[in-house]
Amino acid sequence: VAAVSLSGQGEELNLMVIPNNIDFGAVTVGCASPTTSVTIYNIGNSSVEIEDVFLDAVRTDPEFTMIGLDHQGSSAVPFTLTSADHFTIQLRYVPTAIAPPENSGVLVVQSTAAIDAVLEVPLRGEGTDISSQTDVFSQLQEPMVDVLWVIDNSGSMSPQQQALAANFSTFINWAVTLDTDFHIGVIATEINEPETPADFFNIYPGLLVNYPGFPKVLDNTTPNLVQAFAKNINVGTCCSDEQEAGIHAAMMALSEPIISAPAANGGLLREEAKLVIIMVSDESDQSPAPVDFYVDFFKSIKGSRNDQLMDVSVITGDVPDGCSAGGIYAEAAPRYKFVQEATGGLFRSHCSTNWGSTLSDLGLDAFAARTQFPLSRLAQQVSITVTVDEGDGPVEVPYDPEDNGDGWIYDDETNSIIFGDDVVPGRGATIEVSYETICL
């Protein structure tokens, strides 16, 4: 019997599409929807050939059109998508008749990727003859917040993990004070191989840690909550030194199939809850994909217009020079800072000597009441009226063009109503926003 020596190198070609489906909503017949973009990222290590991009003629109603493709300034297909590169596709929906229940379509991207060589993005839209719109929202009686802590588990992190555990009560007190329905989970920055910190539990890339005897998802009913968090947050200092990648670890934790699997992270994320991601590291992020990809991914979880339903806060080294205090040193972390600024979260210095204040600030940001409400259709700002009913009948809230906090403003970038600090709708309130739609 002859022995044959075999060798080879695996190659993972990963394309990710954001968003992975498009709902144009209701559009007045004869008008066009706003242009919507789909972005395809190559987050693998090798180049991929994009062979074709098209709307499936059999499965796509003619009301949908692909109005553009942009890859480095060119619309030509085929082309090579190198590692960390991306391209965008612009789509529009123009209904020609009332369409109950909806028009539908499929955008197709064909490539040489080893996994998902054919990507399909479902499309839907509804034609209507009604140009006036009233959107109705409810302020939850018990706000829901899901919090994912991402903790650096490299060799220098022991003091910071202990500080987080010691000051957790100042964070969670805001959830108790504001009567919030919360879920809290913890992952490490490890993204490569399972690791075994000394004396307690294993670390698996993207999976919630689970100290023996304590739940992996902490909530309002968790006994000895502060102790449970202290156990889970101490993820050890054995690992992830070769690639401290908190941003990618969070993406893994919130991706399918991990996020839905009961044996993995199932139970952490709820559709109607606000999502808060808090990343803690003393090193610069070493995630493999472009930072723009991660921002788009995180925003896509709740929808790009729901700014207040997702944010990323960071406790990292100051940009651009890092920081040093009390024997603690942290590198500058520009990638973490970029994600934090792009999602509207908080930045706090890793070298702070007052972790109680830091966690209190993060708690207030995480558990505060919702003030932003995205409209379902593109609105004519001058036509908008807003009423709030807190049980005594609807009361009109004034427009506040100076943003003084005593009325509402309109954010045209997200097509949203935002309430000022003095008029935030109370628990259980019903908010109605009436307006005339814009015909594009």
Side-chain angles (χ1 to χ4, degrees), residues 14-340:
N14 287 334
L15 295 183
M16 290 198 69
V17 54
I18 298 175
N20 58 14
N21 67 85
I22 296 178
D23 185 352
F24 290 95
V27 178
T28 304
V29 171
C31 301
S33 71
T35 298
T36 298
S37 293
V38 173
T39 304
I40 311 293
Y41 292 90
N42 180 0
I43 65 169
N45 297 321
S46 303
S47 296
V48 174
E49 292 298 313
I50 303 300
E51 299 174 327
D52 204 359
V53 180
F54 58 92
L55 293 173
D56 187 299
V58 175
R59 294 180 290 168
T60 303
D61 294 324
E63 287 82 358
F64 298 97
T65 56
M66 190 174 76
I67 62 173
L69 182 150
D70 181 24
H71 175 246
Q72 300 182 0
S74 172
S75 60
V77 178
F79 60 87
T80 300
L81 193 68
T82 58
S83 177
D85 198 3
H86 70 277
F87 70 97
T88 59
I89 306 156
Q90 292 79 42
L91 300 160
R92 182 171 287 171
Y93 171 62
V94 184
T96 56
I98 298 174
E102 63 185 26
N103 292 121
S104 62
V106 179
L107 172 69
V108 179
V109 178
Q110 293 180 340
S111 74
T112 60
I115 301 173
D116 292 331
V118 178
L119 291 173
E120 295 190 347
V121 181
L123 314 174
R124 72 166 298 278
E126 177 187 350
T128 179
D129 60 356
I130 300 172
S131 59
S132 299
Q133 180 71 26
T134 297
D135 293 335
V136 181
F137 308 93
S138 295
Q139 189 79 289
L140 294 177
Q141 192 69 43
E142 187 178 33
M144 301 171 67
V145 181
D146 301 330
V147 184
L148 176 66
W149 286 85
V150 184
I151 307 299
D152 187 344
N153 62 321
S154 61
S156 57
M157 281 292 296
S158 181
Q160 294 90 329
Q161 292 176 22
Q162 293 172 16
L164 287 171
N167 291 279
F168 176 69
S169 60
T170 64
F171 174 81
I172 204 62
N173 280 346
W174 281 113
V176 176
T177 299
L178 298 172
D179 194 23
T180 305
D181 175 4
F182 60 84
H183 283 184
I184 298 175
V186 178
I187 63 169
T189 51
E190 176 64 52
I191 65 170
N192 295 314
E193 300 295 333
E195 303 282 3
T196 306
D199 300 331
F200 43 107
F201 49 77
N202 292 337
I203 296 293
Y204 297 96
L207 266 62
L208 297 177
V209 300
N210 194 185
Y211 192 93
F214 293 90
K216 61 185 177 182
V217 177
L218 312 180
D219 60 26
N220 305 66
T221 67
T222 301
N224 303 314
L225 178 62
V226 173
Q227 181 187 14
F229 180 81
K231 292 294 187 182
N232 283 350
I233 206 74
N234 277 289
V235 295
T237 55
C238 74
C239 320
S240 87
D241 292 275
E242 83 285 358
Q243 187 175 14
E244 295 168 50
I247 300 175
H248 193 82
M251 185 275 291
M252 294 173 66
L254 297 167
S255 298
E256 297 294 352
I258 290 177
I259 190 57
S260 296
N265 296 354
L268 173 67
L269 195 63
R270 296 167 293 179
E271 182 177 355
E272 60 272 43
K274 177 181 178 181
L275 171 63
V276 175
I277 306 168
I278 304 174
M279 302 183 181
V280 185
S281 178
D282 61 0
E283 302 280 349
S284 183
D285 174 70
Q286 301 167 39
S287 298
V291 69
D292 287 339
F293 159 71
Y294 296 110
V295 171
D296 283 352
F297 173 83
F298 293 138
K299 287 186 173 182
S300 73
I301 295 173
K302 297 298 178 180
S304 59
R305 296 189 302 122
N306 287 315
D307 283 356
Q308 287 194 355
L309 288 185
M310 192 287 303
D311 65 46
V312 180
S313 292
V314 300
I315 306 175
T316 61
D318 302 62
V319 175
D321 300 320
C323 64
S324 180
I328 299 296
Y329 171 76
E331 291 183 356
R335 286 170 59 91
Y336 284 117
K337 191 72 163 60
F338 183 93
V339 174
Q340 170 258 317

